[in-house]
Amino acid sequence: MDETGSCAAGTPTVRSPVAQMIALTPVGIAVGALCALGLWGVSALAELVQKLVWDDLSAALGVSGDNGWFIFGTLTAVGLLAGLVIRYLPGHAGPDPATEGLVSTPLEIRVLPGLVLATVLTLSGGVSLGPENPIMAINAAIIVGLGVRLVPKLGQREWMGLSTSATIGAMFGTPVAAALMLSELNSGDPRVPLWHRLYVPLVAAATGSFVMLHFTDLGLSMGLPDETIGGVVHVLLAIAVAAAAATVGVVGAALFDPLHRLLNTRLPGPVARLTVAGAVLGGLGALGGTITLFKGLEQMNELPGEVATTTAMGFFVFAAVKLCALLVAGASGFRGGRIFPAVFIGAAFGFGVHTLWTSIPLTLCVSASVVGISVAAARNGWLSLFLGLAIVPQMDLMVPLLFSTLAAWLVVANAPELSARPVEIRRGSQDTERNV
């Protein structure tokens, strides 16, 4: 675009509808508040159930919440209950999240009760998945369902964009994450300046962030002390750590689809499949301890306290157990997201690297490792860079982490993604291969 406001090819830009943008500002604010409320409501309900199970029930049984048998029994029971919800409630708690991206087609409203219940079981029961995919789907169904009725001049696509922006802003505590992700989509009329197209979605994202930051205890920062970062050596070290973490993520991604195929062909029913998966998760939890359970954000903040008593191998075991739990939980059909557990894996891996080579700054190890694993898990460079800086909010890490993001992207460029093909599509492709 040149100084006159025309595109390089000579196509003039269209005039931005400022009056319409102002008129839609209250809509963006309302969507942001509703999406934040949806995230807070599901999270608060899950926290309540978690306390009842892991504190009150364990105390009533006379055992500690970190008792290996209690962990095994709880995860097995959660698998059974989640399987029953998915099998018998209307809509089967939505599609299999292993085959879905972070943003998918809006669900019917009748599906939401089952999806909410399955998500609460996942978040409260110790399953190694986060709220990302379910809460995106829940908010999208509500916002699109209400929006197309109340403001029909905005279509489903626009309402989906607002819901996505608001939920991302609320989940990660800043509208910057939404802005970076939306800028990659490059949707809308290219003649309209990008920030004009992002105006209402960012109003929604900023509102969602504001509500969560001011009315909840949301926070991604681990609170690590600032360290002096700079120079070529630190950039090279960050690249090496990120590449190693991305390689770990690639290995996990390569195993994800075969594991999904194995579980869905050998145990085709959700009740049996999730009960078995829950038992496996219980065994992993008993092995790794409660620090390897749940979505991982609160448990990630326990890692600094482990430094005095845990070896580098111990931190790598935390990361390995969490990776196995993430693969089993995601591939078996538990309703949850894979980004937050991946962040824990990256943080634990970073602590392991620092413990092994204490001369490398801890903040550099942790943030670069989070970037590397996030690139492998989310395949979104901007989101991965933001997550690294959100976990360790130190601005002189920006340049090393940008190089880390680029290095990790090269590692994962042609590698499998952390997702699975739907079983029906896979069977169809196999039948085609047989016919050929």
Side-chain angles (χ1 to χ4, degrees), residues 168-430:
I168 290 174
M171 269 196 302
F172 298 111
T174 173
V176 175
L180 295 177
M181 291 188 69
L182 290 173
S183 67
E184 283 193 346
L185 299 178
N186 194 28
S187 59
D189 190 338
R191 297 173 299 169
V192 178
L194 176 64
W195 279 94
H196 290 191
R197 283 179 272 153
L198 293 180
Y199 174 80
V200 182
L202 288 185
V203 168
T207 303
S209 301
F210 179 85
V211 171
M212 295 302 292
L213 289 174
H214 286 77
F215 299 101
T216 73
D217 57 356
L218 174 71
L220 298 181
S221 173
M222 293 185 67
L224 299 180
D226 288 352
E227 296 178 282
T228 301
I229 305 295
V232 175
V233 173
H234 282 163
V235 171
L236 294 176
L237 289 172
I239 289 173
V241 172
T247 301
V248 172
V250 166
V251 172
L255 296 173
F256 191 74
D257 185 66
L259 180 60
H260 180 265
R261 178 175 65 248
L262 175 66
L263 290 172
N264 280 270
T265 53
R266 296 297 179 89
L267 298 167
V271 177
R273 183 171 64 251
L274 291 181
T275 302
V276 171
V280 174
L281 293 176
L284 290 170
L287 173 65
T290 55
I291 196 172
T292 62
L293 300 179
F294 303 100
K295 63 184 177 183
L297 291 186
E298 292 81 4
Q299 291 70 34
M300 182 176 63
N301 292 321
E302 299 176 20
L303 293 174
E306 297 285 336
V307 171
T309 58
T310 305
T311 64
M313 182 57 65
F315 284 113
F316 291 142
V317 168
F318 288 157
V321 170
K322 191 69 171 182
L323 177 60
C324 292
L326 168 60
L327 296 178
V328 172
S332 61
F334 278 101
R335 287 351 188 205
R338 301 180 286 277
I339 295 176
F340 285 154
V343 169
F344 175 91
I345 295 168
F349 185 84
F351 269 86
V353 172
H354 171 73
T355 305
L356 198 59
W357 292 289
T358 55
S359 59
I360 307 177
L362 176 62
T363 53
L364 188 73
C365 288
V366 172
S367 58
S369 183
V370 166
V371 164
I373 199 77
S374 299
V375 168
R379 294 302 172 93
N380 187 296
W382 285 125
L383 180 61
S384 303
L385 176 61
F386 165 75
L387 283 171
L389 288 171
I391 299 300
V392 187
Q394 189 175 331
M395 289 311 296
D396 55 1
L397 286 168
M398 175 70 81
V399 172
L401 292 188
L402 180 55
F403 278 105
S404 299
T405 303
L406 297 173
W409 197 266
L410 293 178
V411 172
V412 308
N414 296 311
E417 296 188 21
L418 188 61
S419 62
R421 289 179 295 163
V423 172
E424 294 77 12
I425 294 177
R426 182 186 297 111
R427 287 172 178 164
S429 64
Q430 290 175 342

Side-chain angles (χ1 to χ4, degrees), residues 15-26 153 196 199-200:
R15 200 172 165 79
S16 297
V18 176
Q20 183 183 37
M21 291 160 62
I22 294 174
L24 289 175
T25 298
K153 66 168 60 176
H196 290 191
Y199 174 80
V200 182

Side-chain angles (χ1 to χ4, degrees), residues 25-41 135 139 142-143 146 159 162-163 165-171 200-213 215-216:
T25 298
V27 174
I29 293 173
V31 170
L34 284 174
C35 289
L37 183 61
L39 173 60
W40 174 83
I135 199 62
N139 281 346
I142 294 172
I143 296 301
L146 290 175
W159 287 113
L162 292 179
S163 173
S165 301
T167 307
I168 290 174
M171 269 196 302
V200 182
L202 288 185
V203 168
T207 303
S209 301
F210 179 85
V211 171
M212 295 302 292
L213 289 174
F215 299 101
T216 73

